[in-house]
Amino acid sequence: MQIMSEKGAAGGGLRERKKRATRAALAEAAVRLAAEHGAEKVTVEAISAAAGVSVRTFFNYFDTRDDAFVVIDADAGARMRQAVLDAPAALSPLEALREAMVAELAEAEQQHELWRLHAQVLHASPHLLVRSLGAHMADETELAEAIAARIRAGGRPATASVPGAVPGPGSDEERRKALDLYPRLLAAVAGTAVRTSVEHWYARQEEGAFLDVFQEVFALLAAGLPAPPAPPA
Amino acid sequence: MQIMSEKGAAGGGLRERKKRATRAALAEAAVRLAAEHGAEKVTVEAISAAAGVSVRTFFNYFDTRDDAFVVIDADAGARMRQAVLDAPAALSPLEALREAMVAELAEAEQQHELWRLHAQVLHASPHLLVRSLGAHMADETELAEAIAARIRAGGRPATASVPGAVPGPGSDEERRKALDLYPRLLAAVAGTAVRTSVEHWYARQEEGAFLDVFQEVFALLAAGLPAPPAPPA
DNA sequence: TGCAAAAATGCACGTCGTGCAAAATTAAGG
DNA sequence: CCTTAATTTTGCACGACGTGCATTTTTGCA
């Protein structure tokens, strides 16, 4: 089994490291084979053989063959949430979210060749693209909860002192509801920024600049957001 | 084969009507069986038998067994886009979008029992929920393009005369990019409103009020949006 | 009614995905 | 170094999924 650059949270035991390596090897083999022959023509047997494990073992790591094409990094979502929660308290929720995403995307860009193949595979079969979008969206929901937790915990009501921010003539009830919705809106904007910039990056085949594009898109979308409502309490 | 209330755009030929009826019968049978026995325990054979067709015919209508659980209304997305395009020119993009969604959701609510079962099935198997989210998101992308087309075609730059709308000190270049992004942001907000209100509606088991909840969530989320940027030309 | 197009069906076949039990590997001590 | 318990890998069998192809049935129309 080919040793891979073990990324992510450096695990402790040898067992866990080997499991992560096997999982990564399977995912990478799946993507490379799919990019070459087309996802539909790649059997689980071929993926397993390329990763050096048995077919049965493949299904110990992935519930479905398609998962190997879609879920390249299983715990990226968890890392994102943790990064949002661990961000310095001085950052507004929006800034914390942006920094967390920039860090995650920067890490992913270190393997941009694999990610380009990944995008190519998804682009080639709409079926897989839908699965990927769904997984992305499920992560987004959990991310919204992490944002909400951060807002509840953190003392600062974000960028409350922005000059353009209207205090809002809403009642306390309205502000409470808006406060419930704000994390979702934030997560939706962030997700839209990611998808849009990935799409742009994939369309133009220029190498670098991806993070710059993301930052710009994020800023433009975020310009449409008001400061979060002040808590009614 | 059980005759179903043929909904949607009343098709012309008898052939198309029968095809839609068969498709609806299969989807409904799938959802009802899944709600009763659990989606994983429902075979294609059972669904086909319940709808009165052969197993092979099932696969003439759905690429996958799971599609029958997920895609209850195949052309809802197309209707949405058409409604957005056909909305009176006096409406802003935001208003046109809201009216289109309200109309669509109102129609769906006429079969709220089936939709409740549908939500229950998705809720029971995260696997299917992800698929549904992905399909929803793919529709959202196409919806954004319809919105963009409407903005390009329609004469009015939307609610440009809103008092709170800042003209924005951005350059023409920035406004052009923001204009490209605005439809996506709008679609994202609308999608978030739908998912949030559906979630709320499913959590509380109260009967009516769904459309009211949606309108409120939509308004609260939209409050975070600025007027669309004026075209640079 | 007769004819052509479209849809439904049956059948065969390869692949997927799972339960179960046996074999191999690992961590921890004596 | 060797033993032992826990974890992981693997093989095997089996039901279900999904597809290609030829055939039969149904529909639309003259």
Side-chain angles (χ1 to χ4, degrees), chain A residues 69-233:
Chain A
F69 301 133
V70 170
V71 187
I72 264 195
D73 189 344
D75 40 20
R79 282 202 308 273
M80 270 287 310
R81 273 169 274 156
Q82 199 57 43
V84 165
L85 292 176
D86 292 349
L91 296 180
S92 71
L94 183 76
E95 292 163 338
L97 184 53
R98 186 191 57 214
E99 291 312 306
M101 299 203 106
V102 166
E104 188 64 40
L105 292 175
E107 198 172 287
E109 210 182 24
Q110 290 180 338
Q111 312 181 336
H112 59 275
E113 186 245 357
L114 185 58
W115 282 96
R116 181 173 299 279
L117 291 180
H118 180 58
Q120 172 182 335
V121 169
L122 297 187
H123 187 76
S125 18
H127 162 250
L128 295 178
L129 183 58
V130 167
R131 278 181 81 90
S132 178
L133 288 172
H136 203 149
M137 174 74 36
D139 281 354
E140 204 173 292
T141 300
E142 297 179 352
L143 180 60
E145 298 196 25
I147 295 172
R150 182 192 165 88
I151 291 181
R152 276 194 304 269
R156 182 153 88 96
T159 55
S161 60
V162 160
V166 264
S171 66
D172 276 7
E173 176 70 3
E174 280 172 342
R175 255 182 294 179
R176 192 190 57 75
K177 288 179 181 174
L179 196 60
D180 279 352
L181 256 23
Y182 186 72
R184 287 177 178 277
L185 184 53
L186 220 56
V189 165
T192 302
V194 172
R195 285 187 295 275
T196 302
S197 49
V198 165
E199 186 181 320
H200 182 277
W201 160 79
Y202 181 69
R204 323 281 190 282
Q205 290 290 16
E206 302 146 17
E207 280 296 317
F210 170 61
L211 275 180
D212 295 332
V213 171
F214 169 76
Q215 300 250 25
E216 185 181 15
V217 171
F218 189 94
L220 282 171
L221 287 178
L225 292 179

Side-chain angles (χ1 to χ4, degrees), chain B residues 120-139:
Chain B
Q120 171 182 336
V121 169
L122 297 187
H123 188 76
S125 12
H127 163 249
L128 295 179
L129 183 59
V130 167
R131 279 182 79 90
S132 178
L133 289 172
H136 204 149
M137 175 72 39
D139 281 354

Side-chain angles (χ1 to χ4, degrees), chain B residues 11-69:
Chain B
L14 186 151
R15 257 201 176 111
E16 305 221 9
R17 290 175 62 179
K18 218 178 174 187
K19 282 190 72 174
R20 271 208 301 273
T22 304
R23 186 183 193 88
L26 282 168
E28 178 165 348
V31 168
R32 303 201 108 93
L33 288 173
E36 185 176 3
H37 305 107
E40 324 301 308
K41 310 286 294 183
V42 178
T43 69
V44 174
E45 188 176 355
I47 301 172
S48 307
V53 296
S54 73
V55 175
R56 191 61 185 81
T57 297
F58 174 93
F59 287 108
N60 285 347
Y61 284 90
F62 297 95
D63 287 340
T64 298
R65 178 189 64 151
D66 290 350
D67 280 349
F69 301 134

